[in-house]
Amino acid sequence: QVQLVESGGGLVQAGGSLRLSCAASGSILSINDMRWYRQAPGKQRELVAGITSGGPTNYAESVKGRFTISRDNAKNTVYLQMDRLKPEDTAVYYCYADVRSVVASWTTFTYWGQGTQVTVSS
């Protein structure tokens, strides 16, 4: 019913920038929270940044001041601008959305993207 498709990952040198995008499609009535998580090899998945439908954001301490989350509600898309990247930012980045669908408007379901690899070389 609902799919999240991420793009924008890749290989970048330390100090560089990348911009991730995640587009939601399907039978969407509205989207509440949208978030980015990441998972490095051998580590647990962790929250990187989140944004509500109204705009307030939150960030992990490790990315504050370097990453910026934003969204385009008309396009059902969330972005993650990543600046001053560090090798420790290397991970698979996953998009998350809390979606109210047309076919089940009384509740919400959470969806995940397939993940996009970000590799930062030193």
Side-chain angles (χ1 to χ4, degrees):
Q1 291 174 319
V2 175
Q3 299 83 36
L4 301 183
V5 178
E6 298 135 340
S7 60
L11 173 64
V12 64
Q13 288 188 332
S17 299
L18 284 174
R19 189 188 192 214
L20 304 183
S21 299
C22 172
S25 63
S27 304
I28 297 170
L29 190 59
S30 63
I31 302 178
N32 297 329
D33 289 0
M34 299 188 83
R35 306 172 190 167
W36 287 97
Y37 288 79
R38 66 186 181 188
Q39 187 167 19
K43 294 188 177 182
Q44 289 190 330
R45 190 172 297 190
E46 64 173 355
L47 176 65
V48 176
I51 184 168
T52 69
S53 58
T57 59
N58 63 285
Y59 296 92
E61 285 296 325
S62 59
V63 307
K64 277 184 180 178
R66 300 188 297 121
F67 290 10
T68 304
I69 189 171
S70 61
R71 63 190 283 175
D72 184 334
N73 290 330
K75 295 181 179 180
N76 290 329
T77 299
V78 64
Y79 305 96
L80 186 67
Q81 178 66 41
M82 304 185 294
D83 298 317
R84 292 183 281 140
L85 282 160
K86 304 176 181 180
E88 50 263 43
D89 294 318
T90 295
V92 177
Y93 284 70
Y94 296 92
C95 173
Y96 161 107
D98 185 33
V99 179
R100 190 175 304 276
S101 71
V102 173
V103 297
S105 59
W106 61 90
T107 188
T108 64
F109 294 93
T110 58
Y111 295 89
W112 292 86
Q114 79 285 358
T116 186
Q117 177 70 46
V118 171
T119 303
V120 185
S121 62
S122 57

